[in-house]
Amino acid sequence: MDKYEVKNIYGKKGSLTVKVPGSKSITNRALLIAALAEGESLLDGILFSDDSRYFMACINALGIETRINEREAQAYIKGLGGKLPIKEASVNVGSAGTAARFLTAFLALSEGTFHLDSSEQMKKRPMKPLLDSLAALGAEIEYHEKEGFFPFTIKGRAPKSGDVEVDIDKSSQFLSAFLISSVLFGEGVKIHVKGSHGMNYINITTKMMKEFGAEVKKPEPKLFVVDGGSKYGGRFYRVEADVSAACYFYAMAAVLGITVAVKNVFFDSMQGDTGFLKVLEKMGCSVFETEAGIAVTGPEGGRLKGTEADLSGFSDQALTLAAIAPYCDSEVTIKGIGHIREQECNRIAAIINNLRAMGVSAEELEDGVRITPSEPKPAEIETYNDHRVAMSFAVTGLRADGIVIKDPLCCRKTFENYFDVFDGIVKALNS
């Protein structure tokens, strides 16, 4: 499927319940923690997508036994307590940013020589702050193309203890990578943090580490400590539904003025993207929890209020908010998202270019965008091989004529049947 033409179903009424895959963030953390654990783990409800498949293939290439059951959304992993059975390996992380950052730290803190490669897309994404911190601990890094980026070879070492600074201004994954692999420091590690980006994701990391048996201390706001002797134990672990994916369906409710519930998404979720629900409430939506999961009802006729929102804690939803901004009654300003210029694509440029292609005024700010609402005109949406661009702007097309999504299959990165679910909603509302 090269293109997907979205059907305008504005004016249709209904109440729907949708199921989304497991959380990408939680799945990828669980995969590595289970690989580092002592003993067997069964991960239930995990996401199967391009990213997670690359992650699992890398774990296999490192000699860690895994078995998967996609039908049941489960993975069995036989952890070896952080000890790798091989001392040299080649892995390819594809476009998976979490696999790229998490595995790099794991291998740099393990004895051996490891060759890491990636997709062309991942070669453009920042790695240098993490690699510099790992080099400071004794890892030797040989770059094969551009310094600070994939591909590279790591000669890892297993330090007994560590005291290191990590800069997370470009990605909180650099800190999560260090934290997850902190159990490899036999005598403990102190991690000093520069920057404050994405701390909601750090909370997910530390919570999951504790659930598997390793506690993170935070004696100061910018200091994380993991004591010597910390380790993970194999266990059964259930992965939450992906709130990032759920938000596209909540956005549908907002622009169509209907009710959409997403199964197994609840207010006690550890995922920061639940913050998007508060933004929708400010814009005139009703948000409430049902037995099945959180539901959103859009305002009558989808008459949304303009808003100014800081999305630094859940920046994956910047595209989602931008995609529904044309239907607001006044300006929408999205702040705190300067770092998304260096994600799967330059997402701020993707927002600006696609809105302008639809005839909607959009202004780039230093740390975000300002959008002046107007009725979208027919346009082809350039996705830049970025799953979130495709999924977000498909929502815009539910209330406008002639919106066509180019390369919709880029959604395979995190939600491979997104447009099947999307079609199901359109058919249900049309019936």
Side-chain angles (χ1 to χ4, degrees):
M1 182 167 56
D2 295 329
K3 296 180 181 180
Y4 179 92
E5 185 170 356
V6 186
K7 293 181 175 63
N8 181 349
I9 56 171
Y10 183 57
K12 303 291 184 180
K13 300 294 183 183
S15 180
L16 303 167
T17 300
V18 180
K19 183 178 180 180
V20 299
S23 163
K24 180 187 79 165
S25 298
I26 296 175
T27 292
N28 289 335
R29 283 163 174 76
L31 287 171
L32 185 54
I33 292 173
L36 285 161
E38 294 182 353
E40 304 170 357
S41 292
L42 178 61
L43 310 179
D44 181 59
I46 67 171
L47 168 69
F48 281 95
S49 66
D50 279 357
D51 275 15
S52 60
R53 289 189 184 97
Y54 269 105
F55 209 141
M56 285 182 262
C58 291
I59 291 171
N60 270 321
L62 296 170
I64 297 168
E65 182 184 346
T66 66
R67 295 197 304 273
I68 64 173
N69 183 338
E70 291 205 22
R71 176 174 291 183
E72 299 296 329
Q74 292 181 333
Y76 161 91
I77 298 177
K78 188 175 182 180
L80 301 173
K83 301 287 191 283
L84 287 175
I86 53 179
K87 297 302 179 187
E88 184 166 5
S90 296
V91 298
N92 189 314
V93 301
S95 296
T98 42
R101 280 71 182 259
F102 292 2
L103 289 169
T104 293
F106 175 28
L107 296 177
L109 300 173
S110 301
E111 296 286 350
T113 301
F114 307 100
H115 313 282
L116 290 89
D117 204 352
S118 73
S119 69
E120 291 300 315
Q121 185 186 59
M122 188 63 218
K123 288 178 183 179
K124 299 173 184 176
R125 298 183 66 183
M127 289 290 297
K128 195 172 188 301
L130 174 62
L131 292 163
D132 286 349
S133 296
L134 292 167
L137 290 168
E140 297 178 30
I141 301 158
E142 177 188 352
Y143 296 105
H144 301 310
E145 293 180 14
K146 184 179 178 181
E147 183 177 346
F149 296 86
F150 275 90
F152 46 81
T153 293
I154 292 179
K155 290 185 178 178
R157 61 183 292 267
K160 289 184 178 179
S161 61
D163 194 320
V164 66
E165 182 179 77
V166 182
D167 186 340
I168 64 170
D169 269 338
K170 292 186 182 296
S171 176
S172 65
Q173 290 174 359
F174 301 152
L175 176 55
S176 283
F178 257 107
L179 287 169
I180 291 170
S181 289
S182 61
V183 294
L184 298 174
F185 291 87
E187 297 176 7
V189 62
K190 293 181 179 179
I191 305 169
H192 306 267
V193 179
K194 179 182 177 183
S196 58
H197 165 65
M199 295 308 291
N200 284 329
Y201 290 101
I202 303 305
N203 293 338
I204 294 175
T205 299
T206 57
K207 184 175 188 294
M208 290 183 65
M209 289 173 65
K210 185 174 182 178
E211 288 170 336
F212 277 85
E215 186 157 4
V216 179
K217 298 176 181 177
K218 196 176 177 184
E220 301 171 16
K222 296 283 188 176
L223 175 63
F224 292 79
V225 177
V226 178
D227 291 336
S230 297
K231 60 184 179 180
Y232 302 122
R235 55 163 292 180
F236 173 83
Y237 191 84
R238 179 168 285 117
V239 173
E240 292 182 4
D242 194 333
V243 178
S244 298
C247 286
Y248 303 117
F249 301 104
Y250 294 141
M252 291 178 193
V255 299
L256 295 174
I258 63 172
T259 298
V260 178
V262 182
K263 289 182 179 179
N264 301 319
V265 174
F266 297 101
F267 287 125
D268 62 358
S269 168
M270 66 174 109
Q271 298 169 66
D273 278 23
T274 54
F276 185 63
L277 295 167
K278 294 189 186 329
V279 176
L280 291 179
E281 282 185 315
K282 284 176 59 181
M283 297 171 75
C285 297
S286 299
V287 180
F288 53 98
E289 193 169 272
T290 71
E291 188 174 330
I294 294 173
V296 169
T297 300
E300 183 68 28
R303 291 189 289 272
L304 295 166
K305 301 174 184 176
T307 190
E308 181 175 304
D310 184 338
L311 267 60
S312 56
F314 45 101
S315 60
D316 277 347
Q317 299 313 316
L319 279 154
T320 320
L321 180 53
I324 66 175
Y327 305 119
C328 291
D329 62 6
S330 59
E331 278 187 349
V332 172
T333 302
I334 309 172
K335 303 187 302 181
I337 57 168
H339 63 281
I340 72 172
R341 292 184 176 93
E342 296 182 281
Q343 294 188 310
E344 281 83 343
C345 72
N346 180 337
R347 287 180 170 170
I348 288 182
I351 289 170
I352 300 290
N353 294 342
N354 282 312
L355 286 173
R356 287 178 177 172
M358 291 185 283
V360 178
S361 176
E363 174 190 356
E364 181 169 353
L365 308 175
E366 182 179 352
D367 72 336
V369 295
R370 181 179 294 114
I371 301 160
T372 301
S374 64
E375 191 65 27
K377 298 175 182 177
E380 287 197 346
I381 301 299
E382 180 60 61
T383 55
Y384 305 98
N385 196 32
D386 188 330
H387 58 135
R388 300 210 181 278
V389 178
M391 292 189 281
S392 295
F393 281 106
V395 178
T396 313
L398 290 172
R399 189 170 158 176
D401 294 322
I403 303 301
V404 176
I405 308 298
K406 296 168 68 174
D407 186 26
L409 294 181
C410 64
C411 294
R412 289 178 298 192
K413 179 175 171 63
T414 54
F415 195 163
E416 55 193 10
N417 68 330
Y418 175 77
F419 282 100
D420 292 333
V421 178
F422 197 93
D423 275 341
I425 289 174
V426 172
K427 290 175 184 175
L429 291 175
N430 273 326
S431 61

